C-alpha cells in the first residue's frame, strides 16, 4: 500500500512554523482533518503543485492536520486510501482530478461522516461536491491577446482534451479580435504527454503559427520554453508562467486552485458545503489573467483590463455585449 503522507509537528518544525500555531484542533464546527488524493505526484506539474500548496495552506491557516496520498488512480486504490484517511480521523477529502468523481459517488454512502470534493466533473451526491472552473472566459481573453499579437495570422492551441472549454473560448477570442486569423487546434489526449505535445508544437510551428496556447498541466512549461527559444509567443496555463520569459510569454490564464482549497475547507467547517456542482469564474476571484508581456502595446493592455472588468460586472464577454 502506498504510504500516507502527513504534515506532522516535526514537519512543521522543519518548515520553521511555530508549534504554538499547531496546538489542539478543537474545532466547534465540522472540520477535523483533511486528506488529498493525487493521480501521480504532488510535484509533477503546475496543477498538482497548486493542490499541494492548498493543502499546506489549510494546514497552516486553519490549524488542522492534513494528509495526502500519491499515485491513486484505480477504484481499489481510492477505496484503500479513503479507508486509511477514515482511520486517521479525516472527514474532508479532496480528489485532485475529475477521475475521482465516479469513485467518490460510489463510496460516499459508506462514509457518512466524510465529505468528498473533486474537480471538473458533473457527478455529485449528497456528500460529493464537484468544483468547476468556468474556463471558457479565460480562454476567450487569451484568444484576444493571441489575435492581437500574431504577425502571421496563424495561432495554435495544443489541447489536452476536446472537452476543455478554454479551447472553444480561445477560438472565439481570436476570431473576435482578429477575424482573419486561423486557429490551429490539435490534441494530446493527455495532461502529461510532453513528447506528443512537443511534436504537435513543431508541426504547427512549421505551419507558420507564431502564438501558442498549450493547455496541459505537465507539458505547458516545456512548450513555452521552446517557444521562447524559437523567438515566438506563448500563453501560460494554470499558473502565471511569465517567469519562463517575461516578453515571449504574453500572459497566462491563471486558476487559483490553492485559494479555492482554503475557501471550500472554510465552507465545510461552517456547515455551508453541500453536495452538488459548484462553478467559479473571474467574479469569484479564483481565475485571473497573469502579467502582460511588455511586448503587448499599453493601449491594448488597457483594453484587456477593461474587458475583464466589464465581464466581472456583467457576466458578458465582449462578443456578447
Amino acid at each position: 500500500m502506498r504510504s500516507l503522507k502527513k504534515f506532522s509537528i516535526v514537519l512543521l518544525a522543519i518548515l520553521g512554523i511555530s508549534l504554538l500555531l499547531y496546538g489542539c484542533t478543537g474545532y466547534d464546527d465540522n472540520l477535523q482533518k483533511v486528506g488529498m488524493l493525487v493521480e501521480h505526484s504532488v510535484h509533477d506539474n503546475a496543477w498538482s503543485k497548486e493542490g499541494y500548496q492548498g493543502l499546506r495552506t489549510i494546514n497552516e491557516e486553519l490549524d488542522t492536520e492534513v494528509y495526502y496520498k500519491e499515485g491513486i488512480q484505480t477504484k481499489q486504490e481510492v477505496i484503500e486510501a479513503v479507508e486509511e484517511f477514515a482511520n486517521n480521523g479525516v472527514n474532508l477529502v479532496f480528489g485532485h482530478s475529475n477521475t475521482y468523481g465516479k469513485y467518490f459517488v460510489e463510496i460516499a454512502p459508506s462514509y457518512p461522516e466524510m465529505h468528498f470534493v473533486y474537480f471538473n466533473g458533473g457527478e455529485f451526491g449528497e456528500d460529493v461536491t464537484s468544483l468547476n472552473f468556468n474556463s471558457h472566459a479565460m480562454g476567450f481573453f487569451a484568444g484576444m491577446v493571441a489575435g492581437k499579437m500574431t504577425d502571421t495570422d496563424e495561432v495554435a492551441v495544443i489541447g489536452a482534451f476536446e472537452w476543455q472549454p478554454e479551447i472553444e473560448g480561445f477560438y472565439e477570442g481570436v476570431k473576435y479580435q482578429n477575424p482573419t486569423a486561423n486557429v490551429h487546434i490539435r490534441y494530446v489526449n493527455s495532461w502529461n504527454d510532453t513528447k506528443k505535445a512537443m511534436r504537435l508544437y513543431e508541426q504547427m510551428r512549421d505551419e507558420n503559427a507564431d502564438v501558442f496556447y498549450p493547455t496541459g498541466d505537465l507539458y505547458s512549461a516545456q512548450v513555452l520554453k521552446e517557444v521562447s527559444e524559437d523567438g515566438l509567443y506563448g500563453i501560460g496555463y494554470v499558473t502565471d508562467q511569465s517567469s519562463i520569459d517575461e516578453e515571449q510569454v504574453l500572459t497566462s490564464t491563471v486558476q487559483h486552485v490553492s485559494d479555492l482549497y482554503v475557501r471550500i475547507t472554510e465552507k465545510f467547517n461552517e456547515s455551508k458545503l453541500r453536495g452538488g456542482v459548484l462553478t467559479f469564474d473571474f467574479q469569484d476571484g479564483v481565475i485571473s489573467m497573469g502579467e502582460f508581456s511588455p511586448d503587448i502595446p499599453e493601449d491594448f493592455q488597457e483594453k484587456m483590463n477593461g474587458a475583464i472588468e466589464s465581464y466581472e460586472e456583467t457576466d458578458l464577454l465582449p462578443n456578447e455585449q
Side-chain angles (χ1 to χ4, degrees):
M1 179 182 292
R2 293 171 174 80
S3 61
L4 184 69
K5 310 293 179 65
K6 171 187 174 183
F7 294 137
S8 65
I9 294 177
V10 174
L11 178 56
L12 288 174
I14 292 173
L15 293 174
I17 299 171
S18 172
L19 299 183
L20 295 176
L21 294 178
Y22 195 67
C24 166
T25 59
Y27 279 92
D28 294 327
D29 298 306
N30 282 346
L31 186 63
Q32 296 173 13
K33 300 177 184 180
V34 179
M36 180 180 74
L37 307 178
V38 294
E39 291 182 289
H40 301 286
S41 165
V42 295
H43 304 295
D44 264 351
N45 51 56
W47 173 258
S48 296
K49 290 175 182 177
E50 277 286 302
Y52 180 64
Q53 181 56 49
L55 201 65
R56 289 172 60 94
T57 305
I58 291 168
N59 173 232
E60 295 163 6
E61 294 187 3
L62 302 185
D63 188 23
T64 189
E65 293 180 13
V66 297
Y67 301 81
Y68 67 95
K69 288 183 70 69
E70 301 173 300
I72 306 302
Q73 300 179 17
T74 68
K75 179 180 177 180
Q76 186 58 39
E77 289 169 343
V78 171
I79 291 172
E80 292 175 0
V82 169
E83 180 64 20
E84 197 170 349
F85 282 162
N87 291 336
N88 282 276
V90 169
N91 69 337
L92 178 62
V93 177
F94 287 93
H96 199 61
S97 166
N98 60 358
T99 301
Y100 296 114
K102 58 182 179 294
Y103 301 141
F104 284 174
V105 169
E106 289 182 36
I107 69 176
S110 299
Y111 296 92
E113 74 283 3
M114 284 185 170
H115 196 101
F116 297 84
V117 180
Y118 75 103
F119 287 83
N120 298 322
E123 297 171 288
F124 64 93
E126 183 178 354
D127 293 309
V128 180
T129 303
S130 173
L131 308 180
N132 291 260
F133 290 96
N134 185 5
S135 52
H136 182 273
M138 72 181 195
F140 186 94
F141 293 126
M144 287 182 64
V145 173
K148 172 66 177 179
M149 296 301 293
T150 178
D151 289 327
T152 64
D153 279 351
E154 306 288 341
V155 303
V157 177
I158 304 174
F161 297 100
E162 290 187 28
W163 56 260
Q164 292 176 273
E166 55 267 42
I167 296 175
E168 180 181 2
F170 183 83
Y171 178 88
E172 293 177 3
V174 171
K175 289 297 185 178
Y176 172 79
Q177 180 62 39
N178 184 352
T180 64
N182 296 315
V183 183
H184 303 255
I185 304 174
R186 292 185 188 151
Y187 298 99
V188 179
N189 293 313
S190 165
W191 294 112
N192 303 312
D193 191 342
T194 300
K195 289 184 178 179
K196 184 174 181 180
M198 294 307 299
R199 288 198 302 270
L200 296 178
Y201 165 71
E202 291 169 1
Q203 291 171 12
M204 290 188 281
R205 179 194 60 193
D206 293 343
E207 294 168 0
N208 217 26
D210 62 349
V211 183
F212 293 83
Y213 184 35
T215 63
D217 297 336
L218 187 60
Y219 62 76
S220 177
Q222 187 59 45
V223 169
L224 292 178
K225 289 175 183 177
E226 195 71 18
V227 164
S228 172
E229 291 180 6
D230 290 339
L232 303 173
Y233 284 129
I235 295 173
Y237 187 67
V238 176
T239 61
D240 188 337
Q241 295 180 306
S242 59
S243 61
I244 293 173
D245 189 320
E246 65 178 14
E247 294 180 352
Q248 304 307 121
V249 177
L250 295 171
T251 187
S252 302
T253 54
V254 182
Q255 298 175 339
H256 301 276
V257 181
S258 58
D259 292 344
L260 189 55
Y261 260 75
V262 176
R263 185 180 304 185
I264 292 301
T265 301
E266 291 174 338
K267 196 177 184 72
F268 173 75
N269 190 47
E270 296 165 0
S271 302
K272 295 179 180 178
L273 185 62
R274 300 290 181 265
V277 177
L278 302 180
T279 302
F280 300 87
D281 204 340
F282 282 83
Q283 296 85 345
D284 304 295
V286 295
I287 295 180
S288 67
M289 301 302 291
E291 292 292 324
F292 287 122
S293 163
D295 283 7
I296 300 175
E298 289 188 10
D299 61 341
F300 189 74
Q301 293 187 37
E302 292 175 3
K303 176 181 177 179
M304 288 300 306
N305 288 329
I308 293 168
E309 290 175 8
S310 177
Y311 176 68
E312 291 174 344
E313 294 172 0
T314 66
D315 289 333
L316 296 175
L317 291 168
N319 65 338
E320 298 170 330
Q321 294 179 359

